[in-house]
Amino acid sequence: MKKQLIVLALLIVSFLNVKAQDGGNYLITKEGEKVTILGDASLSTEWISFRDNNGKMLDYKHKNIKFLTINNRIFFTLQLMGGKMMRLEEVVCFNDKYILTSFYQNGDYSILVYNWDFKLVQPHKSLSPYKKKQEADIEKYVTPYFPTCAKAYEVMAKNIADEETEKIYEDGHYRKVYKIRSMLDNVYAVSCGGTKTLSDMVKAFMAWSPPVPEGKK
């Protein structure tokens, strides 16, 4: 178990180690400032670190970011679990009614479903790392909102199948080793059909403001 947690931690650290390819990687702060991302970017559960156009290393907290796009992956800063915790959540897929997002923290991947008013309709659900439970999670927490989404489900199914245990030879005998992988790998901002586009969703989100917490009105 300790080794598995170490592997998961490494996966999370390198989750967004990507290269800017066409100058289209950037974030927009809460104040509306656009900041270009150049080269590698590392996304943790609270921060994103990267270099800007001048080669300067920058760090931004999730709560100070409105929107992030990097290599065609889309992130919105939303109220995780419907509370005050503002975190970057990645758009997994969407249709004309709902948007599926993902978030990762302390080695766990979670999913959430919002409507197009960015109200939470499927609360934060941590995903099991095990094959049968992941299949059940899709059936229970995803398909009710996205009954048809062949492109996304095909990739999810492949990811889950790849998570089967494998045998390795060690110390004179074979033993099973669990291959850790998220069912959401390579499922990025997939359209599940309908008339609304990714551009429509980004436009709707940029016009949205989170509700003011009680006591601060």
Side-chain angles (χ1 to χ4, degrees):
M1 177 60 72
K2 184 177 180 181
K3 289 182 179 179
Q4 289 183 347
L5 291 175
I6 291 172
V7 172
L8 268 172
L10 291 173
L11 284 173
I12 291 167
V13 170
S14 63
F15 182 70
L16 265 182
N17 281 350
V18 293
K19 295 285 187 179
Q21 297 175 354
D22 57 9
N25 297 340
Y26 62 91
L27 64 80
I28 296 177
T29 67
K30 285 197 311 181
E31 292 74 27
E33 178 188 5
K34 182 178 178 179
V35 182
T36 299
I37 297 172
L38 182 67
D40 293 345
S42 296
L43 183 66
S44 72
T45 56
E46 292 189 55
W47 296 81
I48 182 170
S49 302
F50 59 91
R51 294 188 184 278
D52 65 7
N53 278 334
N54 299 314
K56 181 181 178 181
M57 183 61 74
L58 301 178
D59 298 303
Y60 281 81
K61 281 191 171 183
H62 290 202
K63 66 181 183 180
N64 295 325
I65 299 169
K66 172 79 171 181
F67 169 80
L68 166 68
T69 178
I70 187 161
N71 281 13
N72 299 315
R73 296 168 69 170
I74 303 296
F75 296 79
F76 297 149
T77 300
L78 291 160
Q79 295 171 294
L80 189 67
M81 305 184 199
K84 299 178 182 179
M85 187 186 298
M86 302 299 291
R87 291 293 185 270
L88 282 167
E89 298 176 22
E90 181 168 14
V91 175
V92 177
C93 61
F94 64 96
N95 56 27
D96 280 358
K97 291 184 177 181
Y98 303 110
I99 300 164
L100 176 67
T101 68
S102 67
F103 178 76
Y104 44 88
Q105 183 177 29
N106 299 328
D108 293 324
Y109 282 85
S110 303
I111 53 173
L112 306 93
V113 179
Y114 297 86
N115 64 20
W116 277 67
D117 292 323
F118 297 96
K119 292 181 180 179
L120 194 61
V121 295
Q122 170 54 61
H124 177 279
K125 167 60 183 174
S126 294
L127 296 175
S128 169
Y130 297 103
K131 180 179 186 296
K132 288 184 178 180
K133 289 186 177 180
Q134 284 198 22
E135 290 172 338
D137 284 341
I138 291 176
E139 186 69 24
K140 185 174 181 179
Y141 300 104
V142 180
T143 55
Y145 305 99
F146 305 91
T148 58
C149 199
K151 184 178 179 181
Y153 289 140
E154 284 172 8
V155 179
M156 288 182 192
K158 184 179 185 303
N159 288 338
I160 292 173
D162 287 346
E163 289 181 333
E164 295 274 21
T165 57
E166 63 178 4
K167 290 183 178 180
I168 65 169
Y169 190 76
E170 184 177 82
D171 298 328
H173 63 278
Y174 285 95
R175 67 183 181 87
K176 287 186 176 181
V177 176
Y178 189 74
K179 296 190 295 183
I180 300 171
R181 188 177 183 184
S182 168
M183 76 178 192
L184 303 178
D185 284 355
N186 300 313
V187 189
Y188 308 137
V190 175
S191 172
C192 296
T195 61
K196 294 181 179 178
T197 66
L198 185 58
S199 294
D200 292 331
M201 180 169 51
V202 172
K203 186 182 296 185
F205 177 74
M206 295 306 293
W208 173 81
S209 297
V212 178
E214 291 186 12
K216 293 189 178 182
K217 297 180 180 180

